[in-house]
């Protein structure tokens, strides 16, 4: 899995050196090959840096993080299914107390 935070630091470095987005993308492709971030991402980060936003971290996103897929929940669902493999999703929702989309 690619470490895009590292690549964002490289994009910032190239921006500060006065490189263009295209030059930066070419260098990233040379260094990271198939794990290179996309062209759109490179130009989005260039745009942020041009607007004075110099952090390489993503902006906080609204909404709650997904907490449905925990080890405990996976085990709970596995046990419910192993008890009776013919149970419907609706029945599993009822027994587990989780939402339909989580199940």
């Amino acid at each position: 899995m690619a470490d895009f935070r590292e690549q964002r630091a490289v994009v910032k470095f190239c921006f500060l050196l006065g490189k263009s987005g295209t030059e930066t993308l070419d260098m990233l492709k040379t260094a990271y090959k198939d794990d290179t971030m996309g062209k759109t991402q490179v130009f989005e980060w260039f745009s942020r840096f041009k607007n004075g936003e110099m952090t390489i971290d993503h902006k906080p996103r609204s909404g709650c993080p997904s907490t449905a897929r925990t080890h405990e929940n996976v085990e709970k669902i596995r046990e419910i299914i192993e008890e009776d493999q013919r149970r419907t999703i609706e029945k599993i929702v009822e027994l587990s107390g989780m939402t339909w989309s989580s199940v």
Side-chain angles (χ1 to χ4, degrees), residues 2-65:
D3 180 4
F4 290 123
R5 189 170 197 284
E6 177 181 305
Q7 290 185 42
R8 290 191 301 268
V10 172
V11 172
K12 180 178 178 180
F13 178 74
C14 289
F15 171 80
L16 293 172
L17 287 176
K19 301 290 183 186
S20 70
T22 304
E23 290 174 309
T24 300
L25 182 60
D26 289 342
M27 287 189 277
L28 286 169
K29 285 180 181 177
T30 300
Y32 292 98
K33 313 272 188 270
D34 292 336
D35 288 333
T36 304
M37 68 169 57
K39 177 181 177 179
T40 303
Q41 291 174 303
V42 171
F43 283 91
E44 280 180 17
W45 284 102
F46 255 77
S47 177
R48 288 182 187 193
F49 298 145
K50 283 179 187 175
N51 291 330
E53 197 177 317
M54 298 309 285
T55 180
I56 61 169
D57 295 318
H58 284 288
K59 294 178 184 175
R61 298 178 182 177
S62 63
C64 298

Side-chain angles (χ1 to χ4, degrees), residues 59-72:
K59 294 178 184 175
R61 298 178 182 177
S62 63
C64 298
S66 176
T67 57
R69 189 166 184 171
T70 63
H71 179 69
E72 293 80 20

Side-chain angles (χ1 to χ4, degrees), residues 67-82 98 102-103:
T67 57
R69 189 166 184 171
T70 63
H71 179 69
E72 293 80 20
N73 286 345
V74 171
E75 285 302 312
K76 181 190 262 186
I77 298 299
R78 181 173 285 128
E79 288 171 10
I80 291 170
I81 293 171
E82 285 176 356
M98 289 189 270
S102 295
V103 170

